[in-house]
Amino acid sequence: MKTNWKRIDRTLEAAERDGRNFLLEHEVYEVLEKAGIPAPSHVFVPAGQAVGRKDLIGLGTDQVVLKIVSPLIIHKSDVGGVVFIKPDAASVNKACASMLRTVPLRYVEWEKRGRGHGGAGQPSSLKAVRESIRGFLVAEKVAFDNAGFGSEILLGLRNSRDFGPVLTMGNGGLDVEYMSERLREGRAVAIASAHLLAGGKVQGLLEPPAFYGKLAAEFRGRKALVSPKVLVETLLRFRALAAAFSPFSADSPFVFEEAEVNPFVVRRGRLVPLDGVCRFSRDKASVSARPVAAIGPLLRPASIGIIGVSEKMNIGHLILNNTLQNGFPAENVIVVKPGLESIEGCLCVPSVEAMPRTVDLFVLTLAADQCYDVMKDLVEYEKARSVILIAGGMGEKEGGASIEEKIRELLREGRRSAKTTPVVNGGNCLGIVSKPGRYDTTFIPKHKLSRPKSTRSDMAVISQSGAFMICRMSKLPEVEPLYAVSLGNQLDLTASDYLTFLKDDPDVKLFAVYMEGFKPGDGLAFARAVGEITATGRTVLVYKAGRSPEGRAATSSHTASVAGDYGVFRAVLEQAGAIVAGDIFEFESFMKGLSFLEGRKVRGRRVGLISNAGFECVVLADNLKNGTGLELAPLTPATRKRIAAVLRPLGIDRLQDVHNPLDVTPVADDAVFVECARAILEDPDVDCAVVSNVPMTPAQNTLPPGEGHREDLNRAGSFASRTIELFRSTDKPFVVNIDAGELYTPLAGCLERAGIPVFRRADEAVRFLRTYVGHMSRKSDS
């Protein structure tokens, strides 16, 4: 295959010599053929030359298609640049001469109307259009199997800033955008990373989109037009092409920025390309590897240094206090503070140079314009193995180069010279909280963000935004992160670095990540790390902000408009095994739910539903999405008999039949409600459950002690105490819904403190459980 890549290099070099960074259609055919994808029989006739009879013999059809070839004229059909004619030399040469006269005139007029390639800028002159014509493409007229609307295929690649080359395959032809806008998510196109897509996963990737069912399966009595094997082979050849011309590949000096065939048609069971575009560059990625092992001393330091601590309470002093209050020993902290011998029981020194030893972690809390000099001293005197750089404003210009870039160059030089050079977290970050490291470098006072002394902590939170991180920590006090890392600008360490390091930490079971944007190429490294983590049975939860599809207007092909940046992000990370949260609520729900349900056994999608209100049973069932989500479990006769016996003493068996969903009515007291839930969960045909209680019923203890009633939600035998005992007695996942107002927040809090996922609306409870079970089922299947 490498020989083919070299031959493709020569095609690209020829285009460069012509002053182009894109290929013409016949050159795209050359590239496809060298990659093992057959193209239509064709002949290229340079401008000013005539075609001969021998040139046309090999086309083998009773008609040929003649296309004008010009880098300016993209939409050929609109200006008369495409005709079908007889395959004799006289007819072809006559048509070429006619096009040379008429197409430039039509193009200039078309462009003046604002529809042409240059419509947004100065219109092209007639002379420029004529000089742009390179020649003519004469190709066989492909007689293809037309199954009507949706029977053409688009196959493209786009070089993503985050993930490198990304493949897209879906419905093609003139209606690609129309269909993509109207088909629901996952049905329009298949999207995958060229570097991560495994051959054995390709057919599973292609089956959900609409084109697959139309072409590769029987359709309304018609046999499949193309076999799945042909689709898979074509995509794999395109994947190999994309990977070879990736910014991360050494196979070629070139990078395919975008390449697309639209459409492929089916002829006698094979795919044939009818048109194609390709844009290329020499922009190879230069990704500097960080010493990721140094994250160990960063997260679990034996010694800490800090600069920027005032005698009064400033950011630096808050960070020092937070760290000491988390249990880090004062004798292992060095404060760079001229004029003092100690502060808060910690040794003070006048300068970085005067530090008596190299520290594992140095916290730099000074303003941005002071950071470079401190970093220079840390590198020059080899005084730190890692740095947390708090300061914002690091991207501001200073003397023509940003402070950030100056620090990066300082780090690169230090690593090249084999000095003890720190890894850097930040800048513009809120710091890190490390439970194993016994420190907290956020500058949030404890009375503003109190944290429980949780006995269980198995989550790593990695957030590009410090504010997002602490807001989640404040809203979810029941979930105590093992590590909470505010990345900031990712001046040095990136999101993928932390995943790569922490994937080998057995104490981390769940990774919750908030991203706004990757450093170039880091999305690919991030996805690879996600794949390695999820392969061990652990979970990565990701939320992506900043979803605007940048770059769509800059591309001339359809691919970018179909696979916007967020679509690519979601597709690549889900294929790597991550849960990609669609919104903040889902992200928070999964942070809580995944942590609380860690260790539960997901055996299938059969769900049991129980409530004491008829409307809730209806809402719960409406949100199952059978076939793609949860399925109502058929209760066994033994379970139905058991439930009827529980309901009988209160006469509920005379009010309701026993089935799933189970409505126990407001008559059910604490014992009856929870014993019915227990019977459902112990049914061998039930894999999971939603327990939904409308707590206003007077039959249950659902309020804390107070005036005007005798209830106590904490007393033995209450709904809360019985539900907690039930949760601890089973390994099946279940969630609780408390659909009521603030009066019942203490009930919800009591259950959540016991580790039970609680929701406040029935549809939200089912939505979480549906996604959770689906994700865990896919993990076990793989």
Side-chain angles (χ1 to χ4, degrees):
M1 292 298 288
K2 288 195 174 183
T3 302
N4 285 342
W5 306 148
K6 296 300 181 186
R7 290 165 59 199
I8 291 172
D9 286 345
R10 289 195 287 273
T11 301
L12 302 176
E13 288 164 356
E16 276 189 327
R17 288 193 296 272
D18 191 39
R20 292 181 280 118
N21 67 344
F22 57 90
L23 299 182
L24 302 173
E25 185 176 345
H26 67 286
E27 294 168 329
V28 173
Y29 287 164
E30 288 178 24
V31 168
L32 291 173
E33 288 175 336
K34 291 167 184 175
I37 300 173
S41 299
H42 63 278
V43 175
F44 176 67
V45 183
Q49 297 185 22
V51 67
R53 184 176 63 85
K54 290 183 179 179
D55 299 324
L56 302 177
I57 291 175
L59 300 185
T61 54
D62 56 4
Q63 269 198 322
V64 294
V65 56
L66 177 68
K67 301 181 183 181
I68 198 162
V69 177
S70 161
L72 273 182
I73 305 169
I74 305 299
H75 303 283
K76 306 176 188 69
S77 299
D78 293 317
V79 293
V82 179
V83 296
F84 292 95
I85 54 177
K86 293 181 179 180
D88 64 82
S91 298
V92 171
N93 289 325
K94 183 179 178 181
C96 289
S98 175
M99 280 189 183
L100 278 175
R101 291 192 307 274
T102 60
V103 169
L105 290 168
R106 290 178 179 177
Y107 180 80
V108 170
E109 288 301 314
W110 189 70
E111 192 180 67
K112 285 179 180 178
R113 295 196 298 269
R115 301 176 65 191
H117 184 67
Q122 291 296 320
S124 304
S125 68
L126 184 61
K127 179 182 178 183
V129 178
R130 283 174 174 158
E131 291 177 349
S132 77
I133 296 173
R134 302 294 195 270
F136 300 88
L137 178 68
V138 188
E140 63 169 315
K141 182 183 178 184
V142 176
F144 57 90
D145 303 325
N146 191 341
F149 187 70
S151 59
E152 297 176 329
I153 295 173
L154 174 149
L155 177 56
L157 71 88
R158 178 167 64 95
N159 180 31
S160 157
R161 177 183 179 276
D162 298 337
F163 300 102
V166 174
L167 304 169
T168 302
M169 194 170 191
N171 287 103
L174 299 176
D175 302 310
V176 55
E177 283 97 352
Y178 177 86
M179 295 188 69
S180 296
E181 289 172 2
R182 286 158 178 79
L183 289 171
R184 63 182 175 85
E185 186 177 355
R187 298 286 291 169
V189 292
I191 302 171
S193 161
H195 287 296
L196 299 178
L197 179 61
K201 299 287 187 180
V202 174
Q203 185 164 338
L205 174 75
L206 296 180
E207 286 174 354
F211 80 91
Y212 184 93
K214 184 72 181 290
L215 298 179
E218 290 188 7
F219 188 81
R220 295 184 177 178
R222 171 187 54 75
K223 291 184 178 181
L225 297 182
V226 63
S227 71
K229 182 181 178 182
V230 169
L231 292 177
V232 169
E233 287 175 349
T234 304
L235 182 56
L236 286 175
R237 290 191 177 104
F238 216 73
R239 182 197 65 175
L241 184 67
F245 290 86
S246 160
F248 312 115
S249 170
D251 288 333
S252 170
F254 292 100
V255 173
F256 280 168
E257 297 296 343
E258 61 178 335
E260 177 184 288
V261 173
N262 185 25
F264 271 108
V265 295
V266 180
R267 178 173 64 181
R268 296 189 294 276
R270 309 302 298 179
L271 294 184
V272 181
L274 295 190
D275 199 358
V277 296
C278 177
R279 185 170 57 85
F280 62 90
S281 73
R282 289 182 180 260
D283 295 333
K284 287 292 183 179
S286 55
V287 179
S288 301
R290 277 79 55 192
V292 174
I295 293 176
L298 168 63
L299 294 180
R300 299 191 182 211
S303 54
I304 293 178
I306 183 169
I307 191 169
V309 179
S310 170
E311 292 183 73
K312 296 180 180 179
M313 196 55 61
N314 68 341
I315 286 176
H317 206 142
L318 279 169
I319 290 172
L320 177 62
N321 283 353
N322 283 352
T323 294
L324 296 175
Q325 289 169 15
N326 270 260
F328 201 88
E331 61 269 22
N332 293 342
V333 178
I334 302 170
V335 180
V336 178
K337 177 70 176 173
L340 286 182
E341 292 185 1
S342 68
I343 188 168
E344 302 289 0
C346 304
L347 172 69
C348 291
V349 297
S351 65
V352 169
E353 183 182 4
M355 291 170 63
R357 60 187 179 275
T358 300
V359 294
D360 286 337
L361 170 61
F362 190 88
V363 185
L364 206 170
T365 72
L366 299 176
D369 59 358
Q370 298 174 280
C371 289
Y372 175 77
D373 290 337
V374 176
M375 287 298 304
K376 184 177 179 183
D377 286 346
L378 288 170
V379 174
E380 182 176 347
Y381 300 116
E382 301 182 85
K383 292 297 184 180
R385 296 180 181 88
S386 66
V387 172
I388 296 176
L389 212 166
I390 302 293
M394 295 298 297
E396 294 176 3
K397 299 294 180 180
E398 182 186 88
S402 73
I403 300 169
E404 278 191 358
E405 186 49 43
K406 288 177 68 178
I407 293 175
R408 285 193 192 98
E409 181 53 39
L410 187 69
L411 298 175
R412 285 192 289 264
E413 181 57 36
R415 288 164 189 165
R416 280 194 296 264
S417 61
K419 283 188 170 184
T420 300
T421 303
V423 292
V424 178
N425 184 85
N428 191 27
C429 76
L430 195 58
I432 294 174
V433 180
S434 171
K435 197 170 181 180
R438 296 182 297 169
Y439 73 81
D440 175 357
T441 66
T442 68
F443 46 86
I444 309 302
K446 290 299 180 188
H447 62 274
K448 288 281 191 178
L449 185 64
S450 60
R451 301 300 301 158
K453 301 299 180 183
S454 174
T455 56
R456 177 172 174 169
S457 190
D458 53 13
M459 179 188 300
V461 176
I462 300 167
S463 176
Q464 200 164 356
S465 164
F468 183 91
M469 180 180 82
I470 62 172
C471 288
R472 306 289 79 72
M473 292 169 70
S474 176
K475 291 182 71 175
L476 302 171
E478 313 85 4
V479 179
E480 177 71 0
L482 194 66
Y483 304 105
V485 179
S486 165
L487 289 173
N489 293 354
Q490 303 179 93
L491 179 154
D492 186 37
L493 291 175
T494 66
S496 74
D497 292 332
Y498 281 101
L499 287 195
T500 300
F501 178 80
L502 289 172
K503 68 181 173 63
D504 297 321
D505 187 334
D507 294 331
V508 182
K509 303 293 193 300
L510 169 64
F511 298 77
V513 185
Y514 167 87
M515 291 301 300
E516 293 173 0
F518 293 110
K519 290 296 180 182
D522 197 55
L524 180 61
F526 184 90
R528 281 183 170 138
V530 168
E532 292 181 35
I533 291 167
T534 56
T536 66
R538 293 176 292 169
T539 301
V540 180
L541 169 67
V542 185
Y543 177 75
K544 173 71 164 64
R547 301 182 183 186
S548 58
E550 56 187 355
R552 285 190 181 185
T555 181
S556 61
S557 77
H558 296 294
T559 304
S561 61
V562 174
D565 286 351
Y566 180 68
V568 168
F569 176 95
R570 181 164 197 139
V572 172
L573 289 183
E574 285 184 339
Q575 288 159 26
I579 297 176
V580 180
D583 51 43
I584 298 292
F585 166 78
E586 195 169 59
F587 186 81
E588 291 178 352
S589 298
F590 270 89
M591 281 185 70
K592 176 175 65 177
L594 288 166
S595 179
F596 288 176
L597 296 179
E598 172 64 31
R600 301 270 156 169
K601 304 295 184 184
V602 176
R603 298 173 175 87
R605 298 172 180 264
R606 300 168 301 178
V607 64
L609 307 174
I610 179 173
S611 180
N612 55 352
F615 93 91
E616 292 230 331
C617 290
V618 174
V619 172
L620 292 170
D622 277 347
N623 282 275
L624 295 182
K625 295 191 176 180
N626 287 347
T628 59
L630 299 171
E631 301 171 0
L632 274 178
L635 300 179
T636 64
T639 298
R640 292 199 300 271
K641 183 176 179 180
R642 177 180 171 184
I643 290 172
V646 174
L647 297 176
R648 192 168 297 120
L650 296 180
I652 303 174
D653 62 321
R654 298 192 300 272
L655 303 175
Q656 294 285 353
D657 292 331
V658 175
H659 53 68
N660 188 18
L662 178 64
D663 178 7
V664 296
T665 80
V667 177
D669 60 18
D670 307 87
V672 167
F673 191 110
V674 177
E675 285 310 303
C676 286
R678 186 187 305 277
I680 289 173
L681 279 162
E682 291 179 357
D683 188 309
D685 291 340
V686 172
D687 303 311
C688 56
V690 179
V691 176
S692 187
N693 192 357
V694 176
M696 283 79 80
T697 173
Q700 294 183 26
N701 283 280
T702 54
L703 290 173
E707 294 183 6
H709 65 83
R710 295 180 181 180
E711 292 187 24
D712 183 356
L713 66 87
N714 295 302
R715 73 164 55 112
S718 68
F719 170 79
S721 63
R722 289 175 181 272
T723 303
I724 291 168
E725 185 277 326
L726 173 61
F727 189 78
R728 292 170 178 169
S729 70
T730 181
D731 65 356
K732 293 181 180 180
F734 77 84
V735 299
V736 171
N737 176 55
I738 304 295
D739 193 355
E742 283 299 310
L743 193 61
Y744 299 92
T745 296
L747 172 61
C750 175
L751 295 171
E752 289 200 326
R753 285 190 295 275
I756 302 174
V758 177
F759 296 85
R760 304 303 294 270
R761 275 181 20 191
D763 59 332
E764 292 174 351
V766 177
R767 174 182 167 189
F768 165 77
L769 189 64
R770 187 179 69 227
T771 309
Y772 168 80
V773 168
H775 174 73
M776 301 305 287
S777 297
R778 285 191 295 274
K779 281 174 64 176
S780 61
D781 291 343
S782 62

